[in-house]
Amino acid sequence: MNLTMMLGEAIFQPNITSWLRPLILALCLVLGIATTVVVMMQKPQNENIGVIGGQETDSYSKKNKSRSKDSILKKLTVTFVVILAVLAIFFFVTFIQTK
């Protein structure tokens, strides 16, 4: 705990945290909304569950067309979540430093 506080004091000066914490909080809010939107845009994973009963109607070209969009959305989701986690940790490190 003492090492974390020393690290926080070395990196974040009190005058920097006065504007940095609200900025990080606003970025977390925007990234949270963006993550929600990107996840809602993705197709469900069990879309072709009718294959078991022989009800598959998708063609090969239709599957490949949506695969590129879905892969981009999945990569965006992972990227947004990782950045959000790093910013949240950063936010709480500055919170520990101000106490």
Side-chain angles (χ1 to χ4, degrees):
M1 184 72 160
N2 193 13
L3 180 65
T4 306
M5 292 188 71
M6 289 187 334
L7 181 65
E9 289 174 3
I11 295 174
F12 303 108
Q13 301 300 322
N15 57 356
I16 293 175
T17 58
S18 64
W19 61 268
L20 185 64
R21 292 190 77 230
L23 177 68
I24 293 173
L25 190 60
L27 287 173
C28 285
L29 179 67
V30 170
L31 278 173
I33 293 170
T35 303
T36 303
V37 169
V38 169
V39 167
M40 296 296 286
M41 289 174 57
Q42 293 179 12
K43 291 184 179 180
Q45 293 294 325
N46 58 358
E47 184 176 305
N48 290 330
I49 197 99
V51 172
I52 297 171
Q55 301 165 346
E56 183 178 11
T57 59
D58 289 340
S59 66
Y60 182 74
S61 62
K62 190 175 182 181
K63 287 182 183 179
N64 285 337
K65 187 184 291 184
S66 67
R67 185 178 296 168
S68 64
K69 180 183 173 188
D70 285 342
S71 68
I72 290 171
L73 289 175
K74 286 179 185 179
K75 289 176 186 175
L76 274 176
T77 302
V78 171
T79 304
F80 287 165
V81 169
V82 167
I83 293 171
L84 184 62
V86 169
L87 284 176
I89 292 169
F90 225 59
F91 181 79
F92 286 108
V93 166
T94 60
F95 180 74
I96 290 171
Q97 191 269 335
T98 58
K99 288 245 175 194

